[in-house]
Amino acid sequence: MTRVSLHIRQIFLAVAIALVMTAIGCSPTPRYQRIPAGVISTTIEPPPVGLRFETTVTLKGTLWKDDSLLLTYSDGRKDYYGRVSADDQVNLSIHQEWFPVYQVNPLEKNAYKQSVTGAETLRHLDRQHWTALVKRIENALVNPIKPGTGILINVRDEEIFVYRRLDGSLAECDFMEKPASVRLVENHRLETMNEGIFLFLTAYLETIGVSDPHLVMETGETGPYARPFVFVDRNEKRFHFLSLEPYTFGSMPSMPVTNTGKVGWHLFARSYLFELFNRPVSSLSRLGLFLYDTAWDATRGIWISTFRFPDAENVNIPPLYRGGSMDRKGWEDHLDRVVGTGTRTSGRIELLVGGDQFFPRLVDAVIGAERSVKLRTYIFDRDDYAVRLADLLKKRSKDVNVQVMLDGLGTLMAQNKAAGSMPPDHEAPLGITLYLTDQSKVRLVSLTNPWFTGDHTKTTIIDSRKAFIGGMNIGREYRWEWHDLMMVVDGPLVSVIEREFDKTWAHGQILGDVVFSGYVLANPPTPESPRGYPIRVLRTLPYDSQVYRSQLHAIRQAKGYIFIQNAYFSDTTIIHELVKARLRGVDVRVIIPMEGNHGIMNASNVTAANTLLKYGVRVFTYPGMSHVKAAVYDGWACLGSANFDKLSFRVNKEMNLGSSDPDFVQNLLDSVFAPDFEAAVELTQPLPAGWNNTIASIIASQL
């Protein structure tokens, strides 16, 4: 096959996939997350039209009738009317543990007048009382902290950093501007502190002599998705935020013409034409591997019959096996034969669940870096949060070595969309690569993508002493919206992660094949004394699928249980092996998001979920976008950046960590799987599926 015909084949493949994705519906996460069919009614009411106020809204009247709250409010120029009831609760996606938020439905004046007949008047308090209450809470949180330390308070999509100077005085600043000498000691999310805040609220109301069992308070919030009122129910010991505008999740088109041109330049000019001259050995070798993998996967898919498993037909689903789990030491010895002893290292892992836990730790580490920051990511977006982090990296580059390495295609494709919750006044830069390097000393490499290969790894190394690793990219969704998982690690493991960064950085230079070879020869790995507990670094490289092989063998070896959470579930062999594991009595449970961020994967996940359900696997749908990539097999954990699809298992560069340490595995079960099983909805019947799901599963198996 000639080089020209290969290019034509790639173009036709890309066009075909794009057309099918359009037919299936490739719009990312919708405005409101859906739960499985059978749990909701067949007809879904369209979301109410909301109101956005840039000036403070005041209450003029609050009434209660038939378990509904009737409101009159004003922006100083005009009176507005609204109604809210228990049926109007807004699903805040990942924020299942937040205070309930209810949507105020606008009413016309005449409709409001008809509704208030026989209504009971409720007391309402102005925003000065809410401000005083919040100040009391902040003081209670801040008072215990010592000079030179501070706390971060997360409220909505904002960060408030309060700290004590060395002289003991209090100060407040944007968290990105935190003094390096001040240590972050506590991190709070105000919306999760329900019981504690209610105690403060009760005490405050007693001090001002208010004993009403129900009342409404103004908060003074304005702007996008503001919650200007709070309904207090002292009998139930709860309070509920009231919002005037529906919260918008998902994404919207952003400069599609400009970005399409940039993607075309990057993909065809940089990744194909220039790559053949710049890195000829790796480019041609990846072409060979791409063709081999495509042929092998297509053949295997036909043999397994694409989610129809002949060897599992007419087989009764057995009860769960009660004879224990696989031997962990024996499993680790088996892994040595599967992925090699070179994957072994040691260290300690701390789990960081969600953006509230990860990004403050990352920012604090970047601010405190003394020598170097090495950030590697698949996507570095250009939304408001990504730009703020870029500004911090640019600032730090004046004092320390800052290297940023991103996947060119992943970043460009992400920038074709903007988060639906983006502040309307945000002005995105034309490109994040130019923005990062403009008037700064940031050293940046934008990796190319020959034959659709990519670098999906997400790591950040600080001063060669600690590293962050996991599944989060840099952007608003990861900070504020999605459910996701990262880790912060120390010990000899950090050196392994940093070496992988340095090798990839060398390969991303001009004449990368030569520079890469020189780096490897000049910098052989140096063994370190073990510290912490045993950990494996498992990678997906163009020639070595350690992440795939290890988990495939883990499924085959498991006796007791298999728990997996992943957003992209399309590998036919993995699904087949999970079915076989369940049919030998293993407790197999899978968590997928009901609505992910890729239309074709959403449709494919329906087929995967129905197939697994058919053979007795317990399938849970997370009520929002879960981007977590973690699994536990009989006490062995594997988690990191890799999805359960072809790209992560055999095409893209990935990095996962594996460990059998009992305390770490139990922490993962307690911190991630237990709460997510509880928050998710378990399927009891197949999801509706059609021809589009079948086509999607065929295409997704090649992605």
Side-chain angles (χ1 to χ4, degrees), residues 291-574:
L291 295 175
Y292 172 80
D293 286 338
T294 301
W296 171 250
D297 289 335
T299 303
R300 183 183 55 190
I302 294 173
W303 178 66
I304 299 178
S305 301
T306 311
F307 300 165
R308 296 176 183 272
F309 309 134
D311 58 344
E313 292 294 334
N314 303 317
V315 175
N316 293 326
I317 300 172
L320 297 180
Y321 175 70
R322 301 299 183 185
S325 302
M326 64 182 179
D327 173 61
R328 295 187 186 183
K329 183 181 183 306
W331 163 246
E332 291 290 351
D333 292 340
H334 179 76
L335 263 183
D336 285 340
R337 297 188 292 272
V338 173
V339 295
T341 57
T343 59
R344 284 181 179 262
T345 183
S346 63
R348 287 176 293 269
I349 304 173
E350 180 185 352
L351 297 175
L352 303 175
V353 184
D356 280 352
Q357 290 191 18
F358 166 57
F359 281 100
R361 292 286 294 275
L362 174 68
V363 169
D364 192 42
V366 170
I367 292 175
E370 299 175 352
R371 298 190 307 276
S372 63
V373 176
K374 299 180 178 181
L375 189 151
R376 177 182 184 183
T377 185
Y378 183 65
I379 293 171
F380 202 126
D381 218 324
R382 57 180 180 183
D383 55 42
D384 60 325
Y385 191 80
V387 168
R388 288 180 62 208
L389 189 55
D391 288 338
L392 175 61
L393 292 170
K394 293 170 69 170
K395 178 181 177 181
R396 292 303 345 260
S397 71
K398 299 175 182 178
D399 305 313
V400 300
N401 171 46
V402 176
Q403 295 171 256
V404 175
M405 182 164 52
L406 52 84
D407 185 87
L409 185 59
T411 294
L412 287 172
M413 294 298 290
Q415 292 178 6
N416 275 324
K417 297 285 185 177
S421 61
M422 183 88 73
D425 58 348
H426 173 63
E427 296 182 5
L430 185 62
I432 198 66
T433 54
L434 293 175
Y435 186 81
L436 277 164
T437 54
D438 181 40
Q439 299 181 6
S440 81
K441 295 183 179 180
V442 171
R443 300 164 61 198
L444 184 139
V445 167
S446 175
L447 299 171
T448 56
N449 305 88
W451 321 113
F452 292 110
T453 58
D455 191 325
H456 197 246
T457 309
K458 295 102 173 178
T459 60
T460 301
I461 305 101
I462 306 293
D463 291 339
S464 302
R465 291 187 302 207
K466 67 179 174 182
F468 298 89
I469 178 172
M472 292 196 201
N473 295 296
I474 306 299
R476 161 169 275 271
E477 297 96 327
Y478 308 93
R479 175 61 183 95
W480 300 117
E481 296 183 10
W482 290 3
H483 179 48
D484 212 333
L485 180 64
M486 290 291 286
M487 297 164 278
V488 57
V489 304
D490 61 14
L493 170 61
V494 176
S495 298
V496 179
I497 295 173
E498 184 170 28
R499 178 175 168 81
E500 288 302 312
F501 179 98
D502 291 341
K503 288 196 300 183
T504 307
W505 179 273
H507 198 242
Q509 306 302 309
I510 297 176
L511 300 179
D513 286 342
V514 176
V515 178
F516 172 80
S517 300
Y519 172 85
V520 172
L521 292 173
N523 297 275
T526 55
E528 297 185 44
S529 300
R531 300 197 305 275
Y533 44 83
I535 299 171
R536 289 182 189 267
V537 178
L538 301 167
R539 288 155 287 196
T540 298
L541 300 172
Y543 51 85
D544 192 4
S545 303
Q546 297 170 356
V547 174
Y548 186 40
R549 294 201 312 275
S550 61
Q551 295 192 92
L552 197 59
H553 280 260
I555 295 172
R556 291 168 178 166
Q557 296 283 327
K559 298 178 181 179
Y561 69 93
I562 297 172
F563 296 164
I564 298 173
Q565 182 166 186
N566 208 283
Y568 315 105
F569 228 94
S570 62
D571 186 85
T572 309
T573 299
I574 289 287

Side-chain angles (χ1 to χ4, degrees), residues 178-254:
K178 180 185 80 69
S181 59
V182 176
R183 187 164 52 91
L184 173 66
V185 293
E186 293 182 17
N187 182 6
H188 301 280
R189 162 59 66 179
L190 198 65
E191 285 86 348
T192 63
M193 302 168 64
N194 198 332
E195 294 183 5
I197 293 180
F198 192 85
L199 292 175
F200 275 97
L201 176 60
T202 301
Y204 177 77
L205 292 176
E206 290 177 355
T207 61
I208 63 174
V210 174
S211 59
D212 303 55
H214 301 95
L215 66 141
V216 182
M217 303 178 70
E218 299 174 5
T219 68
E221 286 189 2
T222 60
Y225 323 116
R227 304 160 302 184
F229 314 126
V230 170
F231 173 67
V232 180
D233 185 342
R234 298 176 75 176
N235 291 336
E236 297 293 330
K237 297 183 178 180
R238 294 181 63 85
F239 56 96
H240 317 294
F241 281 112
L242 307 181
S243 175
L244 302 179
E245 179 183 11
Y247 200 87
T248 305
F249 286 95
S251 54
M252 302 175 295
S254 174

Side-chain angles (χ1 to χ4, degrees), residues 254-271:
S254 174
M255 302 173 64
V257 175
T258 301
N259 287 326
T260 299
K262 289 194 290 186
V263 169
W265 165 260
H266 171 83
L267 191 59
F268 295 107
R270 286 193 68 213
S271 298

